[in-house]
Amino acid sequence: MLADFATLPLQFDTPLAGELSLLGRILFGATLAFMGLNHFADLETMAGYGEFKGLPAPRFSVIASGAVLALGGLAVAAGAFPVLAAGSLAFFLLVSAVTMHDFWSMDDPEEKQNEMTGFLKNVYGAGAALALLAVGGTAWPYAVGVGLF
């Protein structure tokens, strides 16, 4: 039988586990934060793309999604509000994968490939965010350590 997951401790006491956890959080979080900043730097182009995709209030949607990515990414990297940050990122990435990267509706092979790449990027990012969400209620090494839960 499998052990009850509630009884299994999250172990960061193996060699370099804390450092690798921090490095993984920085790589994941900083990449998402950078993507969020790009929403602000290229606001008009992204709002136009959002309008093309049928987003309601495309300019506001780009600003809001940029804020989720930037703040969520920085929070994950710092280890601050991990449940809120990882949960928000997972939700956003899954929703935007389906709404913004609908490769299945593309006819042009190049467009289809670009949208599939964006879709898969969002799906694997959501997977990483869900993994972090699963351990969000535990103490992370080298983390700010503030949170709601």
Side-chain angles (χ1 to χ4, degrees), residues 2 15 18 27 31 35 38 41 74 82 110 116 121 128 132 149:
L2 290 175
L27 291 172
T31 300
M35 290 167 54
N38 279 339
L74 291 173
E110 188 173 330
M116 184 185 291
K121 173 193 64 140
L132 288 170
F149 307 99

Side-chain angles (χ1 to χ4, degrees), residues 25-84:
R25 289 191 344 252
I26 290 171
L27 291 172
F28 179 67
T31 300
L32 291 175
F34 179 76
M35 290 167 54
L37 292 177
N38 279 339
H39 280 62
F40 300 110
D42 201 11
L43 180 59
E44 296 309 318
T45 303
M46 290 190 142
Y49 184 69
E51 186 174 13
F52 168 75
K53 287 292 192 170
L55 277 181
R59 185 176 169 82
F60 173 77
S61 295
V62 171
I63 292 169
S65 62
V68 168
L69 288 168
L71 296 174
L74 291 173
V76 163
F81 302 100
V83 172
L84 181 63

Side-chain angles (χ1 to χ4, degrees), residues 72-145:
L74 291 173
V76 163
F81 302 100
V83 172
L84 181 63
S88 298
L89 289 168
F91 179 77
F92 166 75
L93 289 167
L94 285 174
V95 169
S96 65
V98 175
T99 59
M100 298 302 294
H101 302 296
D102 53 344
F103 67 91
W104 52 89
S105 68
M106 300 290 134
D107 293 325
D108 178 55
E110 188 173 330
E111 271 186 67
K112 184 179 216 116
Q113 184 61 52
N114 287 338
E115 292 297 347
M116 184 185 291
T117 299
F119 177 86
L120 293 173
K121 173 193 64 140
N122 282 20
V123 169
Y124 78 71
L130 288 171
L132 288 170
L133 179 59
V135 297
T138 63
W140 290 359
Y142 305 106
V144 173

